[in-house]
Amino acid sequence: MMTELASLQGRARVHAALGDPARLAIVDALTLGDASPGEIAQDLGMPTNLVAHHVKVLTDAGLVVRGRSEGDRRRTYLRMRPEALATLTPSPLTGVGRVVFVCTRNSARSQLAAALWSERTHTAAASAGTKPAERIHPRAVAVAHRHGLTLDPTATSHVADIVRDDDLVVAVCDNAHEELTGPGRPRLHWSVPDPVRLDTDDAFEAAYADLAARVDRVAPVITPAMSSGDHRD
């Protein structure tokens, strides 16, 4: 009985937290990607003190968690906990040409994300780095192989050579998100911890699982742009 009561109280907190348009807008934004409180305030046109209040309500309800940036340690990013409200579906992202995943070295996270996207959506994806390495990390190649994906160990690229104007750019590391500005600025940010820092099989498996869950969550809301050769009656 006590377990059931605790569950009902937890669900009630979630529903109460979502009973405000501003908090629902914050949750919609964080369902697609991570963001700092300042970025939320800017994107949604809210005062920072009001964002702080709403974030506290969402955090207390278990919908949002905080994490420290691996780049600028002074920054904090907010991350949605999809398991707290698995049925929440954000507004579609329309007119998307190609999805391009970027990180710093283009040696692990962005490569795995692009391979996952192509395999699960059956559409083309690309990856690039702001400071690309000469080769893909061997553990990234290995974890891809364990999950039935293939990575070319030498296929790394710089963002300047890959990103086009109509691409949906997704930063899968904090550094790339913070460094890229202008037309090539990422539209979405996934704050995935760098597995190379630990350089263990478990770290790479964790990164793979994180990316796979995000791909599955975002892919259904992507509406591709029609190519010039597409026709409709």
Side-chain angles (χ1 to χ4, degrees):
M1 182 66 179
M2 290 301 295
T3 302
E4 180 181 358
L5 180 60
S7 175
L8 288 173
Q9 290 174 339
R11 289 169 60 196
R13 281 196 299 272
V14 170
H15 285 284
L18 294 173
D20 181 280
R23 290 196 287 273
L24 187 57
I26 292 172
V27 169
D28 276 350
L30 294 178
T31 300
L32 298 179
D34 309 329
S36 69
E39 289 169 337
I40 289 291
Q42 181 178 2
D43 290 346
L44 299 182
M46 294 184 194
T48 55
N49 62 334
L50 186 58
V51 169
H53 164 70
H54 289 314
V55 167
K56 184 180 186 304
V57 174
L58 293 171
T59 301
D60 290 345
L63 284 161
V64 171
V65 294
R66 295 176 179 267
R68 188 70 63 181
S69 168
E70 292 182 348
D72 183 349
R73 298 295 293 175
R74 296 169 297 180
R75 288 197 185 203
T76 297
Y77 288 116
L78 306 173
R79 175 180 182 142
M80 176 71 181
R81 295 183 65 245
E83 62 270 25
L85 198 60
T87 58
L88 182 65
T89 303
S91 301
L93 294 177
T94 60
V96 174
R98 181 182 58 161
V99 180
V100 179
F101 298 93
V102 299
C103 62
T104 304
R105 303 284 285 167
N106 192 215
S107 65
R109 290 167 289 182
S110 56
Q111 295 280 355
L112 291 170
L116 275 161
W117 188 273
S118 295
E119 190 267 338
R120 298 196 175 187
T121 68
H122 305 291
T123 60
S127 69
T130 56
K131 301 177 182 66
E134 292 184 1
R135 298 178 64 84
I136 299 177
H137 196 286
R139 291 189 192 275
V141 176
V143 74
H145 180 73
R146 286 195 294 272
H147 291 277
L149 303 175
T150 301
L151 298 180
D152 179 353
T154 62
T156 61
S157 302
H158 192 278
V159 289
D161 299 323
I162 296 298
V163 175
R164 303 190 299 242
D165 290 342
D166 63 342
D167 289 335
L168 172 64
V169 180
V170 182
V172 293
C173 83
D174 298 340
N175 284 308
H177 173 66
E178 293 162 13
E179 291 173 13
L180 292 172
T181 59
R185 187 181 188 279
R187 187 172 174 185
L188 298 180
H189 172 213
W190 298 353
S191 185
V192 180
D194 185 3
V196 177
R197 290 178 182 268
L198 296 177
D199 199 13
T200 64
D201 286 345
D202 286 345
F204 277 81
E205 284 288 351
Y208 175 90
D210 191 348
L211 291 165
R214 290 173 182 267
V215 166
D216 288 343
R217 193 159 74 244
V218 173
V221 304
I222 299 295
T223 302
M226 290 183 63
S227 67
S228 59
D230 290 335
H231 299 280
R232 291 183 181 178
D233 294 331

